[in-house]
Amino acid sequence: MFDYQLKLSKRRKTVAIKVTPEQVVVTAPENVCEVALENWLKSKKDWVHTQRQKLELAPNKQKPLQTRSLLVFGSVYKIEFSDINKPVIDHESRFIYLPEVLRQERLEFRRAIIKLLTDLLSSYLELCLEQLSKQMNCHVSAVKIREYKSRWGSCSSKQALTFNSLLAGAPEHIIDYVIVHELAHCHVLAHNTLFWQLVEKHYEDYKSARLWFNKNGKALMIE
Ligand SMILES: [Zn+2]
């Protein structure tokens, strides 16, 4: 059997199991028969085990201060502190050098990392956005980059685009998908058939890109 925390509830009519990385929580009706509950939970042992394994395997948010590493365009870059004033990034050896003072300043460190990713994404967008917006016949009014918690990009009705800084951790072809997605919103705001047809016209394998985010999106986040 597995360890679990039992929560009895007056309102509940059925038993439910919730598996989190920290614990298993079982919610049951207040008048539940304990023997029946134990037996039922025993029958769910394998399922709980599988859920736990999935959670362990699922990539978690990045912890760059702890791991001294950061995803940049789909590759792992090492972080080193150095006697410098401004962050320096070496793409050839995949190293990021940060000022020594940031080692002890968690918030400042995080801010520096986000700034770095923002600048990287900004340069990348400069390279690709113009060509893609021409190709898709869009008249983008403004481009912004900021950290979002739960979206990769957005497009306003005035065709102002915003991209999530954390995208700079994704491979370039995945960033391209987000660009095409947001540009397609310049023509169609809803996620309807017409919208996906337009996306597909300019980014054939959009389904794989969407799957990529389902699988790896969380790993781009930074704690
Ligand atoms: Zn959308």
Side-chain angles (χ1 to χ4, degrees):
M1 259 310 263
F2 48 88
D3 287 330
Y4 61 89
Q5 193 199 334
L6 181 62
K7 281 187 184 168
L8 294 174
S9 153
K10 267 183 199 159
R11 276 175 304 150
R12 273 210 84 90
K13 297 219 160 49
T14 53
V15 183
I17 311 177
K18 194 176 166 206
V19 184
T20 75
E22 292 80 30
Q23 60 180 350
V24 179
V25 182
V26 175
T27 326
E30 215 175 30
N31 56 356
V32 72
C33 161
E34 270 181 48
V35 180
L37 179 67
E38 271 290 308
N39 282 334
W40 185 76
L41 289 174
K42 258 181 209 157
S43 77
K44 293 288 174 197
K45 205 180 94 188
D46 289 345
W47 179 83
V48 169
H49 182 69
T50 314
Q51 296 307 308
R52 274 193 158 156
Q53 270 185 328
K54 270 193 200 161
L55 279 176
E56 268 166 36
L57 292 175
N60 274 315
K61 287 183 184 176
Q62 302 188 74
K63 295 175 185 166
L65 191 54
Q66 278 177 35
T67 61
R68 297 284 161 83
S69 63
L70 183 74
L71 281 170
V72 175
F73 297 131
S75 299
V76 178
Y77 279 49
K78 290 217 148 128
I79 295 174
E80 257 184 31
F81 294 99
S82 172
D83 191 15
I84 44 174
N85 296 320
K86 278 200 306 193
V88 175
I89 185 157
D90 179 351
H91 291 288
E92 219 166 290
S93 59
R94 292 181 180 156
F95 262 97
I96 295 165
Y97 299 97
L98 293 178
E100 190 63 49
V101 288
L102 297 178
R103 195 195 285 265
Q104 310 296 342
E105 298 286 335
R106 207 175 59 82
L107 283 177
E108 288 299 316
F109 170 85
R110 194 182 188 285
R111 208 166 290 154
I113 292 288
I114 297 294
K115 167 88 168 56
L116 202 79
L117 292 172
T118 304
D119 292 347
L120 285 166
L121 186 64
S122 170
S123 324
Y124 187 74
L125 290 176
E126 256 171 56
L127 282 175
C128 311
L129 198 59
E130 202 183 290
Q131 153 104 46
L132 275 167
S133 51
K134 251 188 216 154
Q135 189 187 310
M136 293 179 70
N137 200 19
C138 298
H139 303 281
V140 175
S141 62
V143 181
K144 275 186 247 167
I145 301 173
R146 50 160 288 194
E147 188 188 2
Y148 279 125
K149 296 259 181 272
S150 57
R151 65 201 320 191
W152 299 109
S154 70
C155 174
S156 77
S157 54
K158 292 192 177 117
Q159 311 211 348
L161 305 184
T162 309
F163 294 95
N164 190 335
S165 335
L166 301 172
L167 273 177
E172 283 95 335
H173 71 278
I174 295 295
I175 304 176
D176 295 347
Y177 159 71
V178 180
I179 301 174
V180 170
H181 181 119
E182 297 314 329
L183 286 172
H185 277 313
C186 294
H187 298 288
V188 188
L189 274 177
H191 291 126
N192 54 20
T193 315
L194 194 68
F195 172 81
W196 291 115
Q197 275 170 356
L198 187 58
V199 170
E200 191 172 23
K201 202 171 142 194
H202 298 279
Y203 194 98
E204 214 180 314
D205 204 7
Y206 75 95
K207 283 182 185 159
S208 304
R210 293 185 75 196
L211 278 177
W212 189 93
F213 277 111
N214 284 343
K215 250 177 91 182
N216 305 288
K218 201 177 162 200
L220 295 181
M221 305 284 171
I222 292 172
E223 264 199 359

